[in-house]
Amino acid sequence: MKIAFLTDPLENFNIRKDSTFAMMREASQRNHELYAFMPNDLAYVGGQVVALARRIKLTGNTNWFEAEQSKECPLHKFDVVLQRKDPPFDMEYVYATYLLELAEHSGARVFNKPAAIRNHNEKFSITEFSQFITPTLITRDEVRLRHFHNEHRTIILKPLDGMGGAGVFKVGTDGMNLGSIIETLTANGTRTIMAQRFIPEVKEGDKRLLLIGGKTVPYALARIPQGNEVRGNLAAGGVGKAQPLSAHDLKIAETLAPILAHRGLLLVGCDVIGDFLTEVNVTSPTCFQEITQQTGFNVAAMFIDALEKA
């Protein structure tokens, strides 16, 4: 297959941890052709969606790839396009999904499906599976947020468009800085945010469950907060520990996996703290390499198997 990756700059990859690199390495070992381009390489020209894409080859060295000269190519000429661009999920990200969806009309096969990415805000989409979530409020109204704190005493406040734990605040029973945090996150009542009852089991890890092609990876990566930090995100300094899924983890995963796969979400990362679903990641889920390195289970192989089948 000719696989085109829409991604962040290759030069910035940490190949010891990057899940997109793990996908590329597995695909290369199966003799698939690899191409890469970035959002600014996309365009609608002459009635079709094209990209300035570079064919790349993996070297196995520190300088991990070699790239040919970029060439303009209609997206439907590739066998598959993989959307692996990290958030922020801003309007430029949305515009890229419009272009990718337009390319689908010409026959391009894009994963995850662009419309499905748009329709599944990574924070908001947990509300569809309310049987698995902690008490949650989504609003920009300060009065509602204060009532929520009064009811649940210790809460988490976070933006709906963040990643890597950015902008996440814990407010304790004393309500210290609650007003200032609400003003900052809601931009004085103009931006909608999420509040959730604090889940103390976060000290045992914020677990990443991976769903691939409607099936469940049998291991989770528990991202454990360090020191006085409440965020387990690896980007916020959390330490990842791979572990088998608990019975309740498996129940969550097996409930969501077929539903989301049917919508064109080939790869999903569910975040679970304790027994509660906290996020459904669909843009560029990670943790492939950490799980593989610690357990021997080849997550990238499972992904490329699913991609070939799809």
Side-chain angles (χ1 to χ4, degrees):
M1 293 192 300
K2 296 172 66 174
I3 305 175
F5 290 80
L6 170 54
T7 186
D8 293 293
L10 302 182
E11 292 78 6
N12 295 342
F13 278 26
N14 179 347
I15 62 172
R16 292 177 298 173
K17 296 184 176 182
D18 194 278
S19 295
T20 303
F21 171 76
M23 296 174 184
M24 291 178 170
R25 181 174 55 195
E26 180 66 28
S28 177
Q29 289 170 354
R30 301 186 189 197
N31 296 316
H32 296 309
E33 294 182 19
L34 308 181
Y35 297 80
F37 64 97
M38 296 190 297
N40 58 300
D41 295 317
L42 274 171
Y44 173 75
V45 180
Q48 59 186 357
V49 179
V50 302
L52 279 172
R54 299 182 289 173
R55 184 175 180 183
I56 63 170
K57 294 184 179 180
L58 307 191
T59 65
N61 302 321
T62 303
N63 297 323
W64 63 272
F65 72 95
E66 296 175 347
E68 297 180 1
Q69 186 70 26
S70 297
K71 294 181 181 179
E72 187 173 286
C73 183
L75 290 192
H76 67 266
K77 295 293 186 181
F78 297 107
D79 294 297
V80 64
V81 177
L82 287 178
Q83 160 62 308
R84 291 293 300 170
K85 174 70 178 70
D86 285 340
F89 197 86
D90 53 15
M91 283 309 300
E92 284 302 320
Y93 206 116
V94 172
Y95 296 149
T97 68
Y98 290 151
L99 287 167
L100 292 172
E101 188 174 11
L102 188 59
E104 288 181 313
H105 298 164
S106 299
R109 300 180 63 82
V110 184
F111 299 101
N112 283 331
K113 192 172 179 64
I117 291 176
R118 282 201 310 275
N119 291 339
H120 289 80
N121 175 277
E122 297 188 328
K123 308 291 192 301
F124 204 106
S125 58
I126 65 170
T127 59
E128 182 179 354
F129 308 100
S130 58
Q131 70 271 37
F132 296 128
I133 69 175
T134 191
T136 296
L137 171 68
I138 299 174
T139 186
R140 59 182 177 177
D141 181 71
E142 181 175 358
V143 173
R144 290 184 185 275
L145 290 163
R146 288 187 176 278
H147 284 168
F148 188 82
H149 174 258
N150 287 338
E151 179 180 1
H152 297 291
R153 307 309 300 157
T154 302
I155 65 172
I156 293 290
L157 298 163
K158 56 187 174 183
L160 291 171
D161 59 354
M163 66 166 290
V168 176
F169 292 89
K170 176 185 176 184
V171 178
T173 56
D174 60 4
M176 182 74 71
N177 291 325
L178 177 60
S180 178
I181 292 169
I182 291 173
E183 291 169 7
T184 299
L185 289 181
T186 68
N188 293 306
T190 64
R191 185 180 301 132
T192 301
I193 66 170
M194 175 178 282
Q196 293 179 300
R197 185 174 66 188
F198 176 66
I199 307 168
E201 290 85 354
V202 70
K203 66 180 182 296
E204 300 167 6
D206 181 349
K207 296 172 286 187
R208 167 61 54 85
L209 283 54
L210 291 171
L211 316 180
I212 297 176
K215 300 184 183 301
T216 305
V217 173
Y219 297 94
L221 189 75
R223 296 158 298 171
I224 302 170
Q226 300 298 293
N228 294 323
E229 183 61 73
V230 297
R231 301 171 299 171
N233 310 73
L234 300 182
V239 173
K241 179 182 179 182
Q243 59 189 43
L245 271 60
S246 70
H248 195 72
D249 293 341
L250 191 60
K251 182 179 179 181
I252 293 173
E254 290 184 342
T255 300
L256 272 63
I259 296 171
L260 300 178
H262 180 71
R263 297 173 184 173
L265 295 168
L266 185 71
L267 172 61
V268 177
C270 296
D271 290 347
V272 175
I273 300 175
D275 286 337
F276 298 104
L277 177 69
T278 60
E279 291 190 20
V280 179
N281 295 273
V282 300
T283 49
S284 57
T286 60
C287 300
F288 279 38
Q289 294 211 57
E290 292 88 347
I291 291 174
T292 298
Q293 289 162 4
Q294 294 183 38
T295 70
F297 183 88
N298 192 335
V299 181
M302 181 177 174
F303 177 78
I304 299 299
D305 285 344
L307 185 66
E308 292 171 343
K309 182 178 179 180

